Amino acid sequence: MYPLETSCLLDISAFIMSLLTHVLVCLFGIGSWVAINGMWVELPLIVPAIPEGWYLPSYLTVIIQMANIGPLFITLMHRFRPGVLDERPVIYTIVTVGVVATFLLAFLWNRTLTFGDGEHSAALLSLSFLLSVVDCTSSVTFLPFMMRLQPQYLTTYFIGEGLSGLVPALVALIQGVGVVHCKNASANANFSMGNSSLGFVGELEADYQPANFSAQGFFLFLSVMMTVCLGAFVLLNLHPAVEREHKSKGYIDGSHRVEKIDISQSPNSETPEQRPMLDFPEGPVIKRRSSFGKGTYSRIELVLIFVVLAWVNALTNAVLPSVQAYSCLPYGNQAYHLAATLSSVANPVACFIALFAPIRSLVLMAVLTVTGTGFGAYIMAMAALSPCPLLISHDLGAALIVITWVIFVLSLSYVKVIIGVILRDEGHSALVWCGAVVQLGSMLGALSMFPLVSVYGLFQSGDPCNTKCPK
């Protein structure tokens, strides 16, 4: 009985270590984009109190693209000086900057300076740039770091990355950001600043409800989340139990690395003599189809993978989010909040599904990409038709736009995980390029939508209480 009990204890111990690592990786992943995602969901509370007003989203779009100088530097270092840059010190630095920047933001976000043509939120814009550098650089540092852990933890990281959008959205929902009630304007006619409300008896006006707690409290929450991310990263590097989950102690940065697998840790380990093909290059090996990574995929397949990766991230990170309000608000405030919240839930759900079904099929990747793009086209069409999209006077219209947003995010989030798993198998440098292409796709999407939304005004929003459309 003693050997059996010892075996059970070892199994339980291994399970606890694995579970601890999964939790730490998830918390680490949350810190990847939680700061910038938090900025976006807090906009309805910030905008009325700053001189930039609703020009702030446009400024943020430009600031985030300027912050791509971070991932550009990291990618060039890996390209021209392979093996020189260790991502761990970079991660310690950027996460610490994220902790400090979000903490300062809590106290300085509404401070203004007068220069040039008037007042400007210098502290808010400067700290937003620092946070953008932190989050953009995480794409080319967090993912390569995951090569140091066992393959199954990469999907857990994607779950955490998905939660980086969901968690601040849920907190903003609790905060009551953007909650609007429609009330009779004539009831407040005596308090109107002008005569516009006096001539329309029975007309409704939007009454935005005060938040349950301040923007300062929200930014302090973001600082706590970044601190949790930093703590998780420290434990992933230093905790003895987690160290056993590391893929290899002989890890060497770069595409041509040597990995010393500790075969004593493997339950089905074989002696080196029993598997000569794995250890000695002079044995028969699988023919490389390209010079990228391990050569598993041909150049055409690699081009397809990276084009799809850029396309999917352009849609999910820039193109469709920039028109979410136009596509949803005509159907009502409730439809907008449901679409925003449930689509945020769909991202980690897709990653959770991939945790149990990590499929590497390029055919499935293509099918899901076409499916998600189709639903994205419907969203874009409804945004273009705003403020009078299809079925605006029916509950079916609101239900369709919410369901469309959920399926759009669900399908394309799973595509991201498929590509992440594929490139993780190809090695460390493949994940560096994965992060770089993610940022490139997001940048191209944002730069293409910025003039359409902010310069040419091709999308029109209706009044949340008074939009009238022909039946």
Side-chain angles (χ1 to χ4, degrees):
M1 293 295 293
Y2 180 75
L4 182 60
E5 292 176 356
T6 303
S7 177
C8 290
L9 289 175
L10 289 174
D11 289 343
I12 293 174
S13 176
F15 173 76
I16 293 174
M17 292 176 190
S18 177
L19 182 62
L20 172 63
T21 307
H22 277 293
V23 171
L24 292 176
V25 167
C26 186
L27 294 175
F28 173 58
I30 289 176
S32 60
W33 282 93
V34 71
I36 291 301
N37 287 334
M39 284 288 297
W40 282 110
V41 299
E42 195 69 1
L43 283 180
L45 210 59
I46 297 174
V47 163
I50 60 173
E52 288 78 10
W54 279 108
Y55 285 107
L56 180 61
S58 299
Y59 294 159
L60 281 179
T61 302
V62 175
I63 285 172
I64 292 171
Q65 303 320 312
M66 290 171 58
N68 278 305
I69 187 175
L72 177 63
F73 171 76
I74 300 295
T75 305
L76 291 177
M77 281 292 293
H78 281 292
R79 175 65 181 86
F80 296 106
R81 299 293 300 275
V84 173
L85 184 66
D86 185 348
E87 64 267 1
R88 288 174 295 182
V90 178
I91 294 174
Y92 277 121
T93 301
I94 62 174
V95 177
T96 302
V97 170
V99 172
V100 175
T102 46
F103 182 79
L104 293 176
L105 203 57
F107 301 96
L108 302 176
W109 70 270
N110 57 352
R111 301 290 180 89
T112 60
L113 289 178
T114 302
F115 60 90
D117 56 349
E119 281 192 321
H120 299 278
S121 303
L124 175 65
L125 296 176
S126 301
L127 293 172
S128 296
F129 175 74
L130 285 179
L131 292 176
S132 299
V133 172
V134 169
D135 289 4
C136 290
T137 309
S138 73
S139 294
V140 291
T141 52
F142 284 24
L143 271 175
F145 169 78
M146 292 307 300
M147 277 296 298
R148 299 176 182 272
L149 300 176
Q150 298 290 344
Q152 65 268 23
Y153 296 114
L154 180 63
T155 306
T156 305
Y157 168 80
F158 280 117
I159 293 175
E161 193 177 65
L163 290 173
S164 71
L166 175 61
V167 171
L170 292 178
V171 174
L173 205 60
I174 296 170
Q175 187 183 16
V177 170
V179 175
V180 60
H181 292 158
C182 296
K183 62 182 182 180
N184 198 322
S186 61
N188 295 324
N190 294 331
F191 302 99
S192 174
M193 295 299 293
N195 297 324
S196 59
S197 65
L198 295 176
F200 298 96
V201 178
E203 183 179 351
L204 299 177
E205 67 177 11
D207 179 29
Y208 290 90
Q209 302 301 299
N212 296 321
F213 55 88
S214 66
Q216 182 183 69
F218 184 84
F219 288 131
L220 287 175
F221 161 76
L222 293 183
S223 184
V224 170
M225 292 304 301
M226 293 301 299
T227 304
V228 169
C229 172
L230 179 60
F233 183 64
V234 170
L235 292 176
L236 285 173
N237 281 285
L238 302 179
H239 196 284
V242 177
E243 189 177 358
R244 300 182 186 181
E245 298 296 323
H246 282 209
K247 176 184 172 185
S248 167
K249 292 183 179 179
Y251 178 95
I252 298 176
D253 190 14
S255 58
H256 301 289
R257 64 192 182 283
V258 179
E259 296 176 356
K260 299 177 183 177
I261 306 298
D262 186 358
I263 60 175
S264 63
Q265 298 290 336
S266 174
N268 298 316
S269 61
E270 296 176 322
T271 63
E273 293 75 18
Q274 290 176 307
R275 46 185 180 85
M277 287 190 298
L278 296 179
D279 291 333
F280 302 103
E282 56 268 17
V285 294
I286 298 174
K287 182 179 179 180
R288 293 173 60 90
R289 301 177 63 191
S290 70
S291 59
F292 183 83
K294 296 179 180 178
T296 309
Y297 298 93
S298 66
R299 288 187 178 182
I300 295 177
E301 289 172 333
L302 288 171
V303 169
L304 172 65
I305 289 171
F306 281 115
V307 167
V308 168
L309 181 63
W311 173 255
V312 165
N313 280 278
L315 292 182
T316 57
N317 297 345
V319 175
L320 272 302
S322 66
V323 298
Q324 185 173 47
Y326 299 105
S327 66
C328 297
L329 276 178
Y331 296 102
N333 197 59
Q334 185 179 13
Y336 173 71
H337 280 289
L338 277 175
T341 305
L342 293 180
S343 60
S344 296
V345 173
N347 191 325
V349 166
C351 300
F352 189 76
I353 294 172
L355 185 63
F356 299 98
I359 301 171
R360 294 167 173 80
S361 170
L362 295 185
V363 174
L364 178 62
M365 178 192 76
V367 169
L368 289 178
T369 301
V370 172
T371 301
T373 302
F375 282 98
Y378 178 82
I379 293 170
M380 184 62 72
M382 295 307 101
L385 292 173
S386 176
C388 297
L390 300 178
L391 301 173
I392 187 174
S393 57
H394 299 278
D395 291 338
L396 178 61
L400 275 177
I401 198 65
V402 172
I403 293 171
T404 301
W405 264 102
V406 171
I407 297 177
F408 164 75
V409 174
L410 192 68
S411 56
L412 296 190
S413 295
Y414 193 87
V415 170
K416 292 181 188 179
V417 180
I418 290 176
I419 295 176
V421 171
I422 287 173
L423 295 180
R424 196 259 176 230
D425 292 342
E426 294 303 297
H428 179 271
S429 62
L431 285 182
V432 174
W433 283 108
C434 177
V437 173
V438 165
Q439 287 305 114
L440 176 63
S442 302
M443 180 182 69
L444 293 177
L447 293 180
S448 64
M449 291 304 295
F450 177 77
L452 299 180
V453 175
S454 302
V455 179
Y456 298 109
L458 297 184
F459 299 92
Q460 298 179 4
S461 59
D463 188 299
C465 297
N466 294 302
T467 298
K468 295 178 176 62
C469 297
K471 294 183 179 179

